[in-house]
Amino acid sequence: MSNKSNLLISILVLLLGVVFCWLCESPTLSERILFWGGLAFLVPGAISLASLFFTHKGQQINGFQKVIQLVCGVGGLVLGLCVLFMHDFFRSLLGFMFGALLIAGGAWQIFLLTRKGRRSDYAAWTVAAPVLCLVGGVLMISMPWFRNELNEKYLVLCTGIGFILFGITGLIISCWRTKEASAARRARLEAKAGKSDGQPAGETAGESVPPQGVDTVSLPQDAGHQPDDSIH
């Protein structure tokens, strides 16, 4: 994932978490979440199915891609319709859905912060928030208390806190990458400037290196001052 994509996703998730925490007392919040969640599955599924019948002449899709696109389109369409028209059934699954999101987000950020080939050397404390998201997701799935309709506001509140932690950690990752990238770029520019200002080896101020092939030891004598080797 690019740094810009990570920054955008972090900001969106952070804002979503703030909305969850702000509206956790609303009795219709779960219905709104289910409505937008249903559209999130329904619209892409419908677009995927429509693209199978309205492809351009120059666009070629092999059989395997058509099957995958058909399965994803039908699955998204059916799931979106079920979420929209079966609120009571999917309302009881909100704990599993939010828990799975927190587990996936926390595990992904832990991977980004601890993998060997990571872009930057992050501080150890940056892993704290993703670990909390991961633990919170596991608790949402494993504890029936979160799936009780009477405790739905706490489920939404904990999910909002987890989203905020995820967004803050994502912003830290993006800022850390930008900072180290700027430092590396500055170091390259300084090294390039130092190399261009330096003098070639073997050359000092006011002196020049004679060209190859010229004998500097046996230089020709002046014709008028040749030594007299005759014997008197």
Side-chain angles (χ1 to χ4, degrees), residues 178-200:
T178 303
K179 181 180 178 181
E180 292 200 354
S182 300
R185 191 182 307 111
R186 194 182 308 113
R188 288 196 300 268
L189 291 176
E190 291 177 355
K192 186 177 180 180
K195 187 180 296 184
S196 62
D197 294 339
Q199 296 176 343

Side-chain angles (χ1 to χ4, degrees), residues 139 142-152 154-155 158:
L139 292 178
S142 60
M143 292 180 62
W145 183 83
F146 281 102
R147 296 190 294 275
N148 190 338
E149 292 185 4
L150 298 176
N151 301 322
E152 193 172 80
Y154 300 108
L155 172 66
C158 292

Side-chain angles (χ1 to χ4, degrees), residues 65-182:
Q65 290 178 337
K66 287 183 178 180
V67 172
I68 295 298
Q69 190 171 347
L70 180 64
V71 171
C72 293
V74 172
L77 193 64
V78 172
L79 185 58
L81 291 174
C82 290
V83 172
L84 288 176
F85 295 104
M86 298 173 64
H87 284 183
D88 295 334
F89 175 74
F90 282 95
R91 188 173 183 176
S92 61
L93 299 178
L94 282 178
F96 294 104
M97 296 169 61
F98 289 156
L101 286 175
L102 291 181
I103 290 174
W108 172 248
Q109 287 189 337
I110 290 174
F111 170 74
L112 290 179
L113 293 169
T114 60
R115 66 191 181 102
K116 292 183 178 180
R118 58 185 180 273
R119 298 182 181 180
S120 303
D121 189 12
Y122 305 101
W125 56 267
T126 56
V127 190
V131 170
L132 290 177
C133 291
L134 188 63
V135 173
V138 172
L139 292 178
M140 286 183 186
I141 292 178
S142 60
M143 292 180 62
W145 183 83
F146 281 102
R147 296 190 294 275
N148 190 338
E149 292 185 4
L150 298 176
N151 301 322
E152 193 172 80
K153 62 179 181 180
Y154 300 108
L155 172 66
V156 177
L157 178 62
C158 292
T159 304
I161 294 174
F163 284 176
I164 291 175
L165 293 176
F166 178 90
I168 293 175
T169 305
L171 292 177
I172 292 174
I173 292 174
S174 297
C175 294
W176 210 296
R177 287 179 179 176
T178 303
K179 181 180 178 181
E180 292 200 354
S182 300

